[in-house]
């Protein structure tokens, strides 16, 4: 799609928010209705992402009568199930997502992971819109399937409108307490300074057109440069997974550029840079055939923005959250290896030089960074002596166990959003290494705090 000579890539958006606020359901809602109406419109389920083409967005927003000049080819929404709060955003350099949707449950207001997501978005300067979800839960709500929110509100009786306003006001206050100005999007005169709220229902679709339109228009208005398609590959590893028949694979989001089968790539690895060759570029089958489990479409080449599974040799120690680099004909491999490892080095530099501290284990480099940053803040101040990424194995217990002789209370693993293998758990019990697991950073902190206080007594 060309306009004025510039060629834009798709917008990349992630969904954040507290567990059960309706993130997955909201995506289902955008996807589902169209499928039901027989207008799949080319929506494709990608690896860790869903692609909504412009045509589809135009359909869904038609009622808003916006002459939605869509210049982008579509919207790629990142939805990595399982671990939701950190993995999707990179902390340094160009962040993976152009925009985010922060989902807040209107019946609960701001919850711990809402605040955590909010802080992350602010830290990374990512623009976002707030979906105030589950409006249909307001007592007496009249369903107006997939209607723009203003139209839906007009159908509601006074009590519903009053309750909605009360809750909205309360939530705006809660955001204010976090130092954030927010306002209903259609009343927001100061976009940029004040963040917009769209009431939505992921069940009946009210407000979803508004949400889609806002995302596209805001992106096209404020980030044309960022969205301009360039040939230079910009690609982030989302997950490292073992897949039967394919060995260890990496799921990536290709933000810009083009990948080809046979490309030589450099990826950041736990034990140093990984240089390998793309064996296959895979995506799931289109929606209809999603039921065909375990089979993938093979591609010779893929253009941004897309979610892709890459198979290649030697990916076992690849780190989620880091950049993937493609070696071009004129590139110096040694220099590329170095830049691939830069992501890791800034993290390693945060480890306590004294050699005394807890062991920290997380799912991705991004979450590791966030956790280390948090532990370093003066109010928390927990030293870290070792780090790991991925599931907790016996070797991690051994490493954490070194502290038993130095400072017993630090013989502890703070495990964020990762599994602990049975053998590791057994060994930990045997050795006396403590493991704290959580999906929310400050819960880890609380658990550790309680433990320390008990020791002191
Ligand atoms: P996630 O953890 O944020 O992905 O939340 P889910 O999408 O899994 O939703 C959690 C629960 O809330 C599910 O039972 C959904 O059916 C329900 N839910 C999500 N959105 C809505 C909504 O807009 N209205 C109502 N009534 N229920 C919702
Ligand atoms: Mg979910």
């Amino acid at each position: 799609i060309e306009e004025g000579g510039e060629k834009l890539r798709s917008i990349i958006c992630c969904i954040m928010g507290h567990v059960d606020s309706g993130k997955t359901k909201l995506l289902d809602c955008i996807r589902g209705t169209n499928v039901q109406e027989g207008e799949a419109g080319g929506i494709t389920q990608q690896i860790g992402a869903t692609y909504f083409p412009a045509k589809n967005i135009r359909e869904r927003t038609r009622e808003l009568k916006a002459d939605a000049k869509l210049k982008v080819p579509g919207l790629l929404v990142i939805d990595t199930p399982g671990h939701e709060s950190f993995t999707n955003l990179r902390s340094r350099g160009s962040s993976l997502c152009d925009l985010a949707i922060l989902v807040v449950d209107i019946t609960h207001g701001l919850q711990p992971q809402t605040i955590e997501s909010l802080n992350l978005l602010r830290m990374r300067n990512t623009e976002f819109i707030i979906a105030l979800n589950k409006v249909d839960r307001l007592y007496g709500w009249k369903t107006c399937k997939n209607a723009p929110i203003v139209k839906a509100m007009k159908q509601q009786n006074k009590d519903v409108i009053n309750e909605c306003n009360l809750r909205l006001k309360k939530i705006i206050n809660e955001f204010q307490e976090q130092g954030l100005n927010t306002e209903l999007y259609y009343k927001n005169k100061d976009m940029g300074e004040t963040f917009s709220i769209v009431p939505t229902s992921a069940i009946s679709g009210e407000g979803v057109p508004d949400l889609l339109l806002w995302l596209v228009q805001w992106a096209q208005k404020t980030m044309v440069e960022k969205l301009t398609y360039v040939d230079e590959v910009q690609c982030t590893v989302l997950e490292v997974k073992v897949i039967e028949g394919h060995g260890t694979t990496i799921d990536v989001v290709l933000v810009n550029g083009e990948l080809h089968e046979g490309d030589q790539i450099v990826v950041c690895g736990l034990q140093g840079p990984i240089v390998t060759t793309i064996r296959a570029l895979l995506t799931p089958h289109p929606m209809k055939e999603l039921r065909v489990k375990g089979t993938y479409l093979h591609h010779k080449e893929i253009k941004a923005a897309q979610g892709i599974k890459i198979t290649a040799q030697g990916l076992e120690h690849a780190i989620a959250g880091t950049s993937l680099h493609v070696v071009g004909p004129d590139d110096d491999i040694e220099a590329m290896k170095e830049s691939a490892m830069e992501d890791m080095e800034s993290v390693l530099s945060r480890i306590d030089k004294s050699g005394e501290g807890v062991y920290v284990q997380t799912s991705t480099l991004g979450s590791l960074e966030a956790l280390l940053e948090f532990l370093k803040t003066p109010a928390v101040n927990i030293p870290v002596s070792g780090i790991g990424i991925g599931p907790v194995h016996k070797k991690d217990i051994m490493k954490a166990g070194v502290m038993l002789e130095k400072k017993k209370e630090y013989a502890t693993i703070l495990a964020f959003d990762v599994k602990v293998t049975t053998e590791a758990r057994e060994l930990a019990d045997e050795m006396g290494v403590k493991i704290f697991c959580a999906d929310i950073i400050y819960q880890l902190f609380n658990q550790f705090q309680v433990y320390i206080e008990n020791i002191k007594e």
Side-chain angles (χ1 to χ4, degrees), residues 20 34 77 133 141 178 240 374 401:
D20 281 348
N34 289 280
V77 184
N133 195 36
W141 179 266
Q178 300 296 322
V240 182
F374 175 79

Side-chain angles (χ1 to χ4, degrees), residues 15-16 18-27 29 101-109 111 129-138 141 149 164 167-168 171 175 197-208 211:
I15 295 205
M16 301 180 85
H18 197 81
V19 169
D20 281 348
S21 55
K23 299 180 291 294
T24 305
K25 200 81 196 165
L26 211 46
L27 274 175
C29 175
I101 302 170
L102 179 62
V103 186
V104 176
D105 184 334
I106 194 170
T107 62
H108 285 121
Q111 293 174 281
I129 186 162
I130 298 149
L132 196 54
N133 195 36
K134 307 196 185 180
V135 280
D136 60 286
R137 284 271 186 88
L138 297 172
W141 179 266
I149 196 63
C164 188
R167 287 184 188 272
L168 179 69
I171 287 165
F175 273 117
I197 299 176
V198 184
T200 59
S201 166
I203 299 283
S204 40
E206 291 92 342
V208 170
L211 192 65

Side-chain angles (χ1 to χ4, degrees), residues 196-448:
S196 291
I197 299 176
V198 184
T200 59
S201 166
I203 299 283
S204 40
E206 291 92 342
V208 170
D210 314 64
L211 192 65
L212 285 172
L213 190 65
W214 186 92
L215 286 172
V216 173
Q217 289 192 330
W218 184 250
Q220 288 184 169
K221 191 171 153 195
T222 64
M223 35 187 90
V224 169
E225 199 173 328
K226 196 176 177 192
L227 290 176
T228 300
Y229 180 86
V230 292
D231 286 328
E232 195 184 330
V233 169
Q234 194 191 336
C235 184
T236 299
V237 180
L238 268 191
E239 277 191 89
V240 182
K241 271 191 202 155
V242 178
I243 302 288
E244 222 187 298
H246 292 287
T248 303
T249 67
I250 48 175
D251 292 355
V252 304
V253 171
L254 179 61
V255 177
N256 233 326
E258 197 173 319
L259 290 178
H260 313 84
E261 216 180 77
D263 276 350
Q264 191 177 31
I265 54 172
V266 184
V267 185
C268 177
L270 214 42
Q271 285 151 10
I274 301 164
V275 181
T276 183
T277 304
I278 296 180
R279 193 193 296 146
L281 292 167
L282 308 172
T283 61
H285 282 274
M287 285 286 276
K288 271 180 273 176
E289 298 162 66
L290 208 63
R291 268 166 254 131
V292 194
K293 270 228 170 106
T295 64
Y296 295 94
L297 289 172
H298 286 248
H299 303 263
K300 285 269 170 250
E301 62 208 11
I302 295 186
K303 241 187 183 152
Q306 298 261 3
I308 309 163
K309 182 180 284 299
I310 294 179
T311 72
Q313 241 152 22
L315 292 173
E316 290 73 23
H317 300 289
I319 302 175
T322 60
S323 300
L324 176 149
H325 303 257
V326 174
V327 185
D330 306 325
D331 287 329
D332 169 15
I333 285 221
E334 288 313 311
M336 291 203 95
K337 281 183 179 170
E338 253 175 55
S339 63
M341 292 310 288
E342 269 168 20
D343 283 350
M344 192 68 196
E345 257 121 48
S346 88
V347 168
L348 289 174
S349 70
R350 286 170 191 258
I351 294 175
D352 214 84
K353 302 287 184 300
S354 73
E356 283 184 8
V358 300
Y359 195 82
V360 165
Q361 186 102 9
T362 69
S363 52
T364 69
L365 191 64
S367 51
L368 182 61
E369 279 186 305
L371 184 51
L372 289 176
E373 204 156 310
F374 175 79
L375 295 174
K376 263 231 149 105
T377 53
V380 178
N381 199 20
I382 298 174
V384 174
S385 66
I387 54 163
I389 293 172
V392 178
H393 291 291
K394 273 164 88 171
K395 66 172 185 353
D396 302 305
I397 308 292
M398 299 297 291
K399 285 185 199 162
V402 172
M403 283 301 133
L404 287 164
E405 317 240 292
K406 292 188 178 174
K407 207 160 181 189
K408 198 168 174 304
E409 64 267 34
Y410 288 159
T412 298
I413 295 186
L414 302 184
F416 176 76
D417 187 32
V418 288
K419 291 207 176 74
V420 182
T421 66
T422 315
E423 301 83 57
R425 177 105 31 210
E426 281 165 9
L427 182 64
D429 287 345
E430 217 171 277
M431 289 174 66
V433 171
K434 277 265 162 202
I435 306 175
F436 296 112
C437 294
D439 295 332
I440 299 181
I441 283 187
Y442 78 72
Q443 275 178 2
L444 274 180
F445 167 61
N446 286 350
Q447 289 178 26
F448 184 69

